[in-house]
Amino acid sequence: MKKTPVIIDCDPGYDDALALVLALGNETLDVKAITAVAGNVPLERTYKNAVRICHYFGKEVRIGLGAVKPLVRELETGEMVHSPSGLGGVTIPEEVPMPKKENAIEVIKSVLEEADEKVTLIPIGPLTNIALFVSQYPELRNKIQEIVIMGGAAREGNRTASAEFNIYADAEAARIVFESGIPIVMAGLDVTNAFQILPETFSEYRAMGKTGVFVSEVLERYFDFYQTLGGVFKGPAIHDMVPVAYVIDPTVCVAKEYHVDVECCGEFTYGRTVVDFGGLSPDKNVKVLFESDHQRIIGMLKDSICHLNRR
Ligand code: BDR
Ligand code: CA
């Protein structure tokens, strides 16, 4: 079967962990590498969590160690959402064999150089690693099929009134990526906030073997945070699964092309993705996703759980 080669750049994090389950278990994706970035929790933890997850599912994937902090600003983590360890309360082994440390930017470089077809990048954390890569190796841009990002929001933010967490965490990096000329798909809050897995369905996952138990524990701990929001969300929003689902099958989302800029200096708007709804700019640099078929994405997740269980 023809597989789509991808690199996942992530900061696990509960929803990153579910995105990794979806990707690693999917038979149409070839996960060439995973690169870790500082974001939800410090780099040391996001890297270790990526290693723990791959080890737990018996997947030998190259894992790169990326940027320890944003390009310009200091790191502001999302520990209140994802717990100080990023995967607190999830029972997978803490101590696992650690691979030889490889620099994330060099991992992306070598995967692209070795690939005989274009590779899709799926960043689901702050865009620091991707910005460093496109700045350092501009000659490899034409080896990137597209960059399918979880980040941004055409409407309201979740880190500030204006900005979504991943873009706010490193808006200078996001601007470099959005202005790179590489095809960009933005799975922002407009599509991801609505992709909630409802608590009354968590037990279905618990009944699905080792991988399902992992998924249900992640969902339960992630939902602990969402319950503090006073009923605005019926279940945890699994943001990071949406771009992975889009790469598996773009027809699960409704996409529209716009010009999008990233605000880097506003007092109240730092990190905002400014979507040109009025069509003032002829240069439509981003496909913005607005809706997704939740049941189909949940079906993809269940398929991945079954495949990972069989390993
Ligand atoms: C994004 O921020 C992080 O907390 C999540 O992992 C996701 O990537 C949602 O705004
Ligand atoms: Ca993330």
Side-chain angles (χ1 to χ4, degrees):
M1 185 197 301
K2 166 92 187 64
K3 293 188 175 206
T4 305
V6 300
I7 297 175
I8 301 179
D9 185 72
C10 58
D11 60 340
Y14 294 125
D15 58 333
D16 300 76
L18 298 178
L20 289 175
V21 167
L22 177 61
L24 292 171
N26 185 275
E27 292 187 312
T28 71
L29 297 186
D30 178 8
V31 181
K32 296 279 187 197
I34 294 170
T35 48
V37 67
N40 285 326
V41 289
L43 179 67
E44 187 190 320
R45 276 310 317 186
T46 61
Y47 176 73
K48 186 165 187 186
N49 288 343
V51 174
R52 291 167 76 207
I53 290 166
C54 288
H55 179 263
Y56 192 65
F57 295 116
K59 288 282 186 179
E60 283 182 24
V61 181
R62 276 178 89 175
I63 304 179
L65 184 69
V68 73
K69 68 180 279 298
L71 295 185
V72 177
R73 300 210 169 190
E74 291 310 310
L75 178 65
E76 290 181 34
T77 62
E79 292 180 17
M80 60 174 295
V81 181
H82 296 270
S83 82
S85 76
L87 287 177
V90 180
T91 49
I92 61 169
E94 173 65 25
E95 296 313 326
V96 295
M98 296 302 283
K100 188 172 145 280
K101 284 202 170 121
E102 288 195 273
N103 177 279
I105 312 305
E106 298 307 312
V107 169
I108 299 173
K109 174 180 182 265
S110 78
V111 169
L112 295 193
E113 278 177 343
E114 284 162 24
D116 46 23
E117 60 185 314
K118 291 189 179 192
V119 176
T120 298
L121 307 188
I122 312 179
I124 54 177
L127 287 160
T128 322
N129 289 345
I130 308 299
L132 288 169
F133 175 75
V134 300
S135 305
Q136 285 175 29
Y137 296 109
E139 70 279 11
L140 286 172
R141 288 175 190 200
N142 61 4
K143 295 293 294 279
I144 299 172
Q145 177 70 30
E146 57 186 0
I147 306 180
V148 185
I149 295 166
M150 191 288 126
R155 298 185 296 260
E156 76 277 5
N158 62 357
R159 178 60 184 79
T160 68
S162 293
E164 181 278 330
F165 176 85
N166 287 340
I167 306 295
Y168 179 89
D170 195 347
E172 286 77 13
R175 179 176 276 199
I176 291 171
V177 175
F178 277 68
E179 291 182 354
S180 66
I182 300 165
I184 307 283
V185 178
M186 178 174 117
L189 299 178
D190 316 288
V191 63
T192 67
N193 263 342
F195 179 58
Q196 299 166 22
I197 297 188
L198 301 177
E200 50 270 31
T201 67
F202 291 176
S203 57
E204 290 174 25
Y205 299 96
R206 190 165 278 283
M208 293 181 74
K210 169 183 167 173
T211 313
V213 170
F214 173 81
V215 166
S216 72
E217 287 187 355
V218 172
L219 287 167
E220 280 157 18
R221 298 291 71 78
Y222 195 29
F223 188 46
D224 289 343
F225 165 75
Y226 276 89
Q227 280 180 298
T228 66
L229 300 180
V232 184
F233 286 80
K234 294 197 168 65
I238 320 298
H239 306 281
D240 290 342
M241 274 178 55
V242 177
V244 176
Y246 174 86
V247 176
I248 294 169
D249 182 351
T251 68
V252 294
C253 295
V254 175
K256 234 181 140 192
E257 288 185 85
Y258 290 102
H259 182 82
V260 180
D261 282 313
V262 180
E263 175 59 78
C264 288
C265 29
E267 185 182 356
F268 301 109
T269 53
Y270 175 82
R272 181 167 189 79
T273 43
V274 181
V275 178
D276 176 21
F277 283 114
L280 301 174
S281 169
D283 163 33
K284 296 184 172 28
N285 59 336
V286 177
K287 273 187 197 155
V288 182
L289 305 186
F290 287 98
E291 279 170 48
S292 68
D293 184 331
H294 301 174
Q295 287 318 313
R296 276 175 69 201
I297 301 179
I298 285 171
M300 290 175 179
L301 176 63
K302 289 185 173 169
D303 286 347
S304 285
I305 291 172
C306 294
H307 291 139
L308 288 175
N309 275 342
R310 273 191 234 125
R311 290 184 54 84

